[in-house]
Amino acid sequence: MTVNPAHTALWTAPHASGAVDATVHVPGSKSVTNRALVLAALASEPGWLRRPLRSRDTLLMAGALRALGVGIEETVSSSSSVAGGPDGTGEAWRVLPAGVRGPATVDVGNAGTVMRFLPPVAALADGSVRFDGDPRSYERPLNGVIDALRALGARIDDDGRGALPMTVHGSGALEGGPVSIDASSSSQFVSALLLSGPRFNQGVEVRHTGASLPSMPHIRMTVDMLRAVGAQVDTPESGGEPNVWRVTPGALLGRDLTIEPDLSNAQPFLAAALVTGGKVVIPDWPSRTTQPGDRLREIFTEMGGSCTLTEYGLEFTGSGSVHGIDVDLSDVGELTPGIAAVAALADSPSTLRGVAHLRLHETDRLAALTKEINELGGDVTETADGLHIRPRKLHGGIFHTYEDHRMATAGAIIGLVVEGVQIENVATTAKTLPDFPDLWTGMLGA
């Protein structure tokens, strides 16, 4: 087997010589971009996505939709010198829905949104759609989507694994209707069914029957985006039953949507201000959003910073001290690696709770964070549903990433304060944050 040199290369994390003072243009949201692509592909008329994120996950989604017969045209205005530049300025994707068709093969990579959002779309195709991906994608749970689609009338071959690889045999339509699932391992199971629900003959009624749902903001994001393109959605928050979402069948409108900056990907830059006692400005931070990353304002303020939201964006300032935190991250689990990195540099212990589901993400993030921080001299203990972190004096060493983009950025945060930290496979950040090394060194004025 050929090993990609980028997977073994070591990147010396830049060490901050003083307080960071920078403005960082964060690329568009992966979560919004990939949801917008699916909704535009299922619409009854063309739509536009402006300032979309160009990363591995979003390009996999666009490539998969093209394989299913959807037209996606990329344009760059004359005001943008580089297509797909770090801030996406001037770039737009025009999506031309033409129905979905097979036979086709979809490469999901290791993108949860692609492997979970597209099987319901494939069930609407006229032909078979084969799903495959990276080896790690075979280990990530997909049973919630597979079982639900079968209950709604789809035919799927997965050899009983409840995981990839698999084939969805589309028949051109799906009856839809009520379905019960256990989405406790991923809120994406619910979002996947809701996104395609307007195109099912009876719409869809999704009832979650398991333990508490993680990442609820992502479901609210899905609902808001569905309503914005004309779908009728009933939710627990709008007076419906607890843990039940209903989508009425109907046509979806084409939209002209400008993608928000990815607030979760702003995390390492805000963390840089916090751990160095500096200041970072993130332009275009929305005043209202369903992105989980917006909670960073509250969490990092409690850990020692302060922030101001202006018409220009978010200004975040570190106080020079970093405090430990006891926090439930069940709704914002993707923020855990960065928060753990900051907690390892704090002046008091931290407990991060409600994130047992992270063991099923790009890697087992709880085990990975425990191992890597401890190998730099830290004191991290796994709990049943999270981490307990006791700050210790850290030293340099190799920080392994397990092909997980958020592990790479967590290591970079530690490297700002601890000299000699080397990040293995920093290129994995291209999954959702292209050009991270350049953005990071640019923040430091290098």
Side-chain angles (χ1 to χ4, degrees):
M1 181 179 71
T2 302
V3 177
N4 186 333
H7 292 183
T8 57
L10 297 179
W11 179 69
T12 300
H15 183 262
S17 57
V20 168
D21 187 356
T23 296
V24 181
H25 290 268
V26 177
S29 164
K30 177 204 75 173
S31 297
V32 174
T33 298
N34 275 359
R35 282 167 173 78
L37 280 170
V38 172
L39 292 172
L42 295 175
S44 58
E45 57 191 351
W48 287 92
L49 276 64
R50 302 189 187 277
R51 296 183 66 179
L53 174 66
R54 287 183 59 91
S55 71
R56 189 185 185 214
D57 278 16
T58 60
L59 294 177
L60 283 166
M61 180 67 85
L65 290 170
R66 288 188 178 111
L68 293 170
V70 178
I72 301 177
E73 299 174 350
E74 302 182 32
T75 63
V76 182
S77 74
S78 58
S79 64
S80 177
S81 59
V82 181
D87 64 358
T89 302
E91 183 164 6
W93 292 351
R94 186 170 186 239
V95 182
L96 304 168
V100 289
R101 62 175 182 265
T105 298
V106 168
D107 175 13
V108 310
N110 191 19
T113 50
V114 182
M115 71 178 71
R116 292 166 183 151
F117 291 177
L118 289 190
V121 177
L124 300 169
D126 185 11
S128 297
V129 181
R130 170 79 172 172
F131 286 83
D132 208 337
D134 297 352
R136 172 63 180 171
S137 71
Y138 295 4
E139 302 171 21
R140 301 186 68 182
L142 196 56
N143 55 298
V145 174
I146 293 172
D147 293 345
L149 288 175
R150 284 182 175 139
L152 295 172
R155 186 162 67 90
I156 300 174
D157 291 337
D158 69 334
D159 294 331
R161 288 183 302 270
L164 295 178
M166 69 177 187
T167 299
V168 178
H169 299 283
S171 59
L174 195 66
E175 192 58 25
V179 65
S180 296
I181 62 171
D182 180 351
S184 56
S185 61
S186 176
S187 68
Q188 289 177 352
F189 295 169
V190 174
S191 288
L193 298 167
L194 299 183
L195 287 168
S196 293
R199 291 289 307 276
F200 300 164
N201 293 341
Q202 297 182 36
V204 71
E205 176 188 286
V206 181
R207 183 180 299 271
H208 167 61
T209 60
S212 61
L213 263 171
S215 305
M216 280 296 296
H218 279 124
I219 296 180
R220 288 193 283 271
M221 176 188 293
T222 298
V223 170
D224 279 7
M225 293 183 69
L226 275 162
R227 288 173 173 162
V229 294
Q232 181 178 328
V233 189
D234 295 323
T235 72
E237 293 87 354
S238 59
E241 294 179 61
N243 291 324
V244 177
W245 293 262
R246 295 184 181 90
V247 180
T248 302
L252 299 177
L253 307 174
R255 272 199 70 191
D256 190 326
L257 175 68
T258 299
I259 307 296
E260 299 174 353
D262 193 313
L263 306 188
S264 294
N265 277 340
Q267 181 183 40
F269 305 102
L270 300 181
L274 182 55
V275 302
T276 67
K279 181 179 77 173
V280 166
V281 176
I282 307 292
D284 302 319
W285 193 287
S287 58
R288 178 191 175 277
T289 181
T290 52
Q291 288 193 61
D294 193 45
R295 234 189 113 193
L296 286 167
R297 292 189 289 158
E298 168 198 336
I299 294 170
F300 278 173
T301 295
E302 187 174 341
M303 297 187 80
S306 61
C307 64
T308 303
L309 188 59
T310 69
E311 290 186 359
Y312 180 70
L314 181 73
E315 180 179 300
F316 185 85
T317 306
S319 63
S321 298
V322 182
H323 310 311
I325 191 170
D326 186 329
V327 62
D328 185 336
L329 299 175
S330 55
D331 277 354
V332 292
E334 65 195 51
L335 305 180
T336 302
I339 294 170
V342 172
L345 303 169
D347 58 13
S348 57
S350 295
T351 300
L352 313 184
R353 295 178 283 106
V355 288
H357 61 284
L358 295 189
R359 294 186 170 98
L360 301 171
H361 275 218
E362 280 81 347
T363 189
D364 179 341
R365 284 179 170 164
L366 300 185
L369 287 165
T370 300
K371 179 177 181 294
E372 297 310 314
I373 295 174
N374 286 351
E375 289 195 353
L376 299 182
D379 185 358
V380 182
T381 304
E382 276 194 68
T383 65
D385 71 338
L387 300 172
H388 187 62
I389 302 169
R390 303 169 190 82
R392 296 286 185 267
K393 182 175 177 58
L394 303 181
H395 54 73
I398 296 175
F399 196 92
H400 299 91
T401 60
Y402 310 89
E403 299 189 36
D404 185 334
H405 54 130
R406 299 206 192 279
M407 287 295 297
T409 54
I413 293 167
I414 293 173
L416 285 175
V417 178
V418 180
E419 289 195 72
V421 175
Q422 294 184 296
I423 312 297
E424 174 216 39
N425 187 19
V426 73
T428 195
T429 53
K431 185 176 193 295
T432 63
L433 187 52
D435 303 320
F436 169 73
D438 289 341
L439 287 171
W440 197 246
T441 54
M443 172 190 70
L444 296 173

